[in-house]
Amino acid sequence: PTPAPTPAPTPAPASYKPQVTFIAAPAGYPTDAQFTAAENALASQAGTDSAAIARIRAALAVLPDAEVEAVVAGRAANPANVQRVERVLGEAKFDSFFPVRNVGYTYVNFLRGVAKFPAYCATYTDGRDSDAICKKLLATSFAHFVQETGANWPALTPATARTYPAQNNPVLATMDQNTAIPSYKQALWYLRENGYNEGSAVGAYQDCFRGAGSSIFSVFYPCSQNASGQTIDYFGRGSKQLSWNYNYGPFSKSLYGDVNVLLDNPGRVADTWLNFASAIWFAVYPQSPKPPMTWVVDGTWQPNAVDVANNMSPGFGATVFIINGGIECGGGGAEKSQVQNRIAAYKSFAADLGVPVPGSEQLGCAAMKGFQSGSAAATKTYLDKNWGYNANNPGGVSWACQLVDYQMPFSLANPGDYKQCVDYMFRGQVKYNGQVVIDNTK
């Protein structure tokens, strides 16, 4: 079946959340056909070539949950990308890579996370070696798991790990009990960010709507409350340690077409196959001017003159920059300890998976200046209000949105977002506690 968002009802947001409403469309307001034409026109201008938006939408394609949840190891009807992962990473190898993983991280959950996003370990029909790319992508992903979720405990042994009920996987019983486990095999120790639990509600990782002056992200990715009226925490969960409501919202929208599904229940990112799907979503998700990690690994991203001048080249180092470049990369000199840990893990996983690491591959990122405007990966996919003058409209308003290179809740990656942007910017109002606190109609 053609990958498509899982249909899901979109209930009205809870009454305590900011309520976005719209006044009636004024005379002469664009029709649906005109909105579609304007969106398509912008799509052709968004990247370095006319197919940029098509590539981005293909990268974000998803399978319906019904198909995803039918995936189990060895099933003949598994999606093609899942079957590829099973060939290059069987369950025994998965167990050997992650012996101290939290019991919530299962092989089936990993396969289902892969199934949700067909662009991960995809089949290439242009001569590229799909299996080799998949192995390199797995080595890259797993190395980042080590840094994000690893125990990082040099003296950790199977005997010690078994004393933690959440880590007591059967594979530990098959290992030499008193031999320290290599650091690169200590990933996935944390299912939830250390020190946090569901219901902690301590006010962390929340960009919540507080009235006029609040960010636009707090309007479109609104914080939820628990039964006690406390704002839910959006701390790190899953193999990517997804955090903040403005990340849970877009992830939920990518999966379900409704930001509130996971904003209302972020615990699903820890307790279901979303604990892997969140990391895979991040791997395929373009964040202009950064390419998705998949494009770095598979060669879709080819550096241009701007990238070369900024010392950006395909390789593991570029994926580090995508994940945490602002903290771990740049500045020159020696690689930071976090990057050294990632590189060591990458080399180990690559060796175990038979992935060649050429001497020319730039593994670190200390010398990198980053993905910047003008990069081969830079696209203007986000949408903001067009403040231009249109003499054909009352008052000269544009009734249009324009492409921007900074993050917004509206993106051409999502068909229909163009109309949502125009509607909000020109006839939208935000009510909070029964009062209109943002009025875009004036």
Side-chain angles (χ1 to χ4, degrees):
T2 302
T6 303
T10 305
S15 59
Y16 61 78
K17 294 183 179 182
Q19 309 291 308
V20 179
T21 60
F22 304 95
I23 64 169
Y29 196 70
T31 64
D32 286 348
Q34 288 172 320
F35 276 126
T36 299
E39 182 176 86
N40 291 339
L42 288 181
S44 67
Q45 306 166 24
T48 54
D49 62 86
S50 60
I53 293 300
R55 282 197 303 273
I56 290 171
R57 290 178 177 175
L60 292 174
V62 294
L63 286 184
D65 278 7
E67 293 181 54
V68 171
E69 291 170 359
V71 168
V72 292
R75 175 174 169 265
N78 281 345
N81 65 327
V82 174
Q83 293 188 39
R84 174 165 295 104
V85 169
E86 290 183 273
R87 281 200 306 274
V88 303
L89 182 80
E91 188 166 6
K93 176 70 79 174
F94 179 86
D95 286 343
S96 73
F97 279 172
F98 306 113
V100 302
R101 68 183 186 271
N102 184 289
V103 294
Y105 292 118
T106 65
Y107 185 62
V108 169
N109 275 357
F110 180 64
L111 295 182
R112 290 176 179 176
V114 170
K116 188 66 180 179
F117 295 97
Y120 191 92
C121 284
T123 299
Y124 298 87
T125 58
D126 56 6
R128 284 180 284 182
D129 188 330
S130 302
D131 283 7
I133 290 170
C134 183
K135 290 179 181 179
K136 190 175 182 70
L137 182 58
L138 292 173
T140 300
S141 298
F142 294 168
H144 295 314
F145 289 178
V146 171
Q147 182 61 30
E148 303 294 329
T149 65
N152 194 27
W153 189 348
L156 180 63
T157 64
T160 301
R162 292 175 72 187
T163 66
Y164 293 82
Q167 267 66 40
N168 193 11
N169 285 289
V171 67
L172 288 169
T174 69
M175 302 170 67
D176 186 323
Q177 295 300 289
N178 298 309
T179 298
I181 299 168
S183 294
Y184 84 99
K185 291 190 175 183
Q186 295 185 20
L188 304 180
W189 179 275
Y190 293 106
L191 185 62
R192 291 174 172 82
E193 186 173 345
N194 190 25
Y196 290 88
N197 295 293
E198 300 302 330
S200 57
V202 296
Y205 302 103
Q206 300 167 349
D207 176 19
C208 302
F209 192 81
R210 308 297 183 195
S214 299
S215 77
I216 193 171
F217 303 104
S218 69
V219 174
F220 285 92
Y221 309 131
C223 299
S224 295
Q225 295 178 1
N226 60 23
S228 301
Q230 297 171 304
T231 303
I232 292 175
D233 275 339
Y234 299 98
F235 55 79
R237 296 173 176 88
S239 52
K240 173 62 182 68
Q241 291 289 281
L242 192 72
S243 56
W244 291 95
N245 53 299
Y246 49 70
N247 288 319
Y248 279 83
F251 180 45
S252 185
K253 186 173 181 177
S254 286
L255 266 62
Y256 304 115
D258 180 0
V259 300
N260 291 297
V261 172
L262 297 180
L263 287 171
D264 290 348
N265 190 3
R268 290 176 60 180
V269 179
D271 295 329
T272 71
W273 50 267
L274 299 185
N275 55 26
F276 281 114
S278 53
I280 293 170
W281 170 75
F282 186 84
V284 303
Y285 193 70
Q287 302 176 73
S288 180
K290 299 184 293 185
M293 288 197 297
T294 47
W295 292 1
V296 173
V297 173
D298 70 13
T300 297
W301 169 64
Q302 291 293 322
N304 61 12
V306 173
D307 294 313
V308 171
N310 289 323
N311 205 28
M312 305 302 297
S313 64
F316 184 74
T319 70
V320 178
F321 209 106
I322 290 169
I323 284 186
N324 205 21
I327 294 175
E328 298 182 17
C329 300
E335 299 292 344
K336 294 183 178 178
S337 60
Q338 303 100 306
V339 181
Q340 293 178 23
N341 292 341
R342 294 181 194 267
I343 293 171
Y346 172 63
K347 287 181 175 179
S348 296
F349 283 121
D352 279 357
L353 289 168
V355 176
V357 180
S360 59
E361 181 174 349
Q362 193 169 352
L363 301 179
C365 59
M368 291 182 171
K369 297 179 182 178
F371 297 98
Q372 299 177 6
S373 179
S375 164
T379 54
K380 289 185 176 181
T381 54
Y382 295 111
L383 297 161
D384 199 354
K385 183 175 183 178
N386 185 331
W387 292 89
Y389 181 83
N390 187 331
N392 296 321
N393 296 335
V397 297
S398 69
W399 285 336
C401 280
Q402 62 185 355
L403 295 171
V404 294
D405 58 6
Y406 48 84
Q407 191 169 356
M408 286 289 289
F410 317 107
S411 170
L412 287 180
N414 305 309
D417 266 21
Y418 179 80
K419 181 181 186 301
Q420 185 182 21
C421 176
V422 176
D423 283 345
Y424 176 73
M425 294 298 179
F426 291 93
R427 60 187 192 96
Q429 296 177 323
V430 179
K431 293 182 179 179
Y432 188 60
N433 293 330
Q435 302 294 318
V436 175
V437 293
I438 296 175
D439 191 349
N440 295 327
T441 68
K442 297 185 181 300

